[in-house]
């Protein structure tokens, strides 16, 4: 008997085909996320759930899950939407999808860094609005990225992949991390045990740390004030790491060069203050959104489910 699986969001075609072939899969027929009530109702009788970061698995939801559910695989590397302690207490297995989205996400951080410094969003809006008056020596001047300095907050897999890209631009790399990396991983990057000391030194600040209670609104008004007034902030990690009101105020007052953001607190309902800022490049959480990467994430989630229900250790088991 194939394992009964509830899939809460539409999957890439190849992943959906494999889910259908290997599991007794039921799919949410709409593109929208389930409400908590719908999720619980649809999970009835299912042994496994394949969820996304927009499906909260907090302690309350985990307590409400039907007894049939033995494993939840999230289609994401981030797992701040899952209460691991509550899952462990209930004996619920949890897995995520690390590694396979590292390069795609680092690419988006690089894209945002270049786009915001070179004013690509603004420039594209000028062309589309029919306002381009032709080449001009002083029009749409941005800032160089090559040979500038960048501070990376969180030097895990994605932070290091971003550092590799920054190194290709001859950038000076600073980083803060809970632990200092080995020289092989550091590759000349300058470690700051205290991230606050790094802030005044860098032309770009790129956030790559997980969203946890400790990092909630980490980039607040005090830390923004420590940055150079020309500095650019890049966030491809999680919106909750940034105090939106403080960042918007700094961008409005030109106390920062700009911001390139792929993630937002409360997304998709981002703070509307961002929408009118010319010095912000805004993307709708597309860090991992390539066909290759999303296929790999989906296959990884299915691999974890398959291993668990075959009685093996799920390779990316978190709980
Ligand atoms: C993740 O996997 O956590 C990403 O944010 C989704 O792109």
């Amino acid at each position: 008997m194939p394992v009964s699986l509830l899939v809460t969001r539409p999957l890439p075609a190849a992943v959906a085909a494999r889910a259908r072939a290997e599991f007794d899969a039921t799919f949410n027929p709409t593109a929208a996320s389930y409400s908590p009530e719908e999720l619980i109702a649809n999970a009835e009788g299912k042994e496994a759930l394949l969820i996304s970061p927009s499906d909260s698995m907090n302690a309350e939801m985990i307590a409400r899950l039907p007894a049939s559910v033995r494993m939840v695989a999230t289609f994401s590397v981030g797992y701040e939407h899952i209460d691991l302690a509550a899952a462990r207490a209930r004996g619920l297995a949890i897995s995520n999808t690390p590694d396979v989205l590292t390069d795609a996400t680092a690419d988006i951080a690089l894209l945002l860094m270049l786009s915001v410094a070179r004013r690509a969003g603004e420039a594209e809006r000028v062309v589309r609005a029919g306002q381009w008056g032709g080449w001009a020596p002083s029009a749409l001047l941005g800032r160089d990225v090559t040979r500038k300095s960048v501070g990376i907050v969180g030097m895990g897999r994605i932070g290091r992949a971003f550092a590799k890209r920054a190194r290709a631009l001859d950038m000076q790399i600073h980083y803060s991390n809970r632990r200092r990396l080995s020289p092989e991983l550091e590759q000349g990057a300058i470690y700051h045990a205290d991230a606050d000391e790094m802030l005044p030194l860098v032309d770009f600040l790129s956030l790559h740390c997980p969203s946890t209670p400790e990092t909630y609104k980490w980039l607040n008004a005090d830390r923004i004030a420590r940055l150079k007034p020309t500095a650019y902030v890049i966030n491809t990690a999680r919106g909750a790491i940034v105090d939106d009101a403080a960042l918007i105020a700094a961008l409005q007052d030109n106390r920062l060069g700009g911001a390139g953001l792929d993630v937002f607190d409360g997304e998709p309902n981002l703070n509307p203050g961002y929408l009118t800022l010319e010095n912000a490049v805004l993307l709708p959480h597309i860090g991992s959104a390539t066909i290759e990467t999303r296929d790999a994430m989906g296959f990884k989630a299915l691999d974890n489910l398959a291993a668990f229900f075959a009685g093996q250790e799920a390779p990316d088991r978190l709980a």
Side-chain angles (χ1 to χ4, degrees):
M1 275 286 281
V3 171
S4 57
L5 170 69
L6 175 67
V7 181
T8 65
R9 305 297 302 278
L11 296 175
V15 182
R18 192 180 140 193
R20 278 197 190 90
E22 295 181 16
F23 295 83
D24 172 15
T26 303
F27 291 81
N28 177 350
T30 73
S33 301
Y34 282 131
S35 68
E37 285 63 37
E38 288 169 335
L39 201 158
I40 297 296
N42 283 283
E44 195 54 55
K46 302 290 185 291
E47 296 162 279
L49 309 182
L50 177 46
I51 68 166
S52 81
S54 51
D55 300 306
S56 171
M57 276 293 148
N58 58 23
E60 190 195 330
M61 280 296 281
I62 287 173
R64 290 175 64 196
L65 283 178
S68 56
V69 177
R70 294 175 53 209
M71 177 162 183
V72 174
T74 183
F75 193 115
S76 61
V77 66
Y79 50 87
E80 70 288 340
H81 53 298
I82 305 175
D83 188 326
L84 293 184
R88 280 187 201 107
R90 183 193 185 275
L92 181 68
I94 305 285
S95 67
N96 69 339
T97 63
D99 298 316
V100 290
L101 46 69
T102 299
D103 286 322
T105 308
D107 286 347
I108 285 288
L110 174 66
L111 178 145
L112 284 169
M113 180 165 70
L114 291 167
S115 299
V116 69
R118 298 302 303 273
R119 299 172 64 180
E122 264 182 279
E124 216 229 9
R125 286 191 285 279
V126 166
V127 175
R128 286 184 187 272
Q131 290 167 352
W132 184 27
W135 189 89
S138 60
L140 284 166
L141 303 186
R143 293 275 182 180
D144 281 342
V145 178
T146 299
R147 285 181 291 281
K148 294 290 179 66
S149 59
V150 60
I152 299 176
V153 180
M155 202 63 147
R157 286 175 288 247
I158 299 173
R160 294 200 300 276
F162 175 70
K164 184 174 169 189
R165 285 150 178 78
R167 226 169 267 123
L169 296 174
D170 292 330
M171 297 181 84
Q172 185 185 58
I173 298 162
H174 298 253
Y175 76 100
S176 71
N177 200 44
R178 267 176 309 188
R179 276 186 310 264
R180 184 169 182 168
L181 302 183
S182 64
E184 298 76 55
L185 291 179
E186 216 171 48
Q187 297 208 12
I190 302 160
Y191 177 61
H192 298 267
D194 181 354
D196 289 1
E197 285 172 12
M198 172 175 84
L199 299 177
L201 307 177
V202 297
D203 299 307
F204 295 85
L205 183 76
S206 194
L207 304 177
H208 297 281
C209 53
S211 176
T212 64
E214 293 74 44
T215 62
Y216 182 65
K217 294 191 194 255
W218 178 84
L219 188 64
N220 56 19
D222 288 347
R223 292 200 168 96
I224 289 170
R226 295 180 73 82
L227 288 165
K228 296 179 188 179
T230 50
Y232 298 92
V233 170
I234 312 300
N235 190 7
T236 53
R238 284 293 183 263
I241 300 167
V242 171
D243 179 337
D244 286 328
L247 181 58
I248 289 167
L251 292 168
Q252 278 168 344
D253 302 347
N254 293 311
R255 284 184 278 116
L256 281 177
L261 307 172
D262 184 46
V263 287
F264 300 88
D265 199 13
E267 62 184 50
N269 302 314
L270 70 165
N271 187 316
Y274 283 120
L275 301 178
T276 51
L277 290 170
E278 284 291 6
N279 54 357
V281 177
L282 311 175
L283 296 180
H285 201 152
I286 57 167
S288 64
T290 69
I291 293 168
E292 297 89 336
T293 296
R294 289 283 167 86
D295 280 356
M297 290 168 73
F299 293 147
K300 206 171 225 292
L302 295 179
D303 289 344
N304 275 281
L305 290 166
F308 175 80
F309 285 100
Q312 297 153 12
E313 187 58 25
D316 306 299
R317 188 165 173 177
L318 297 165

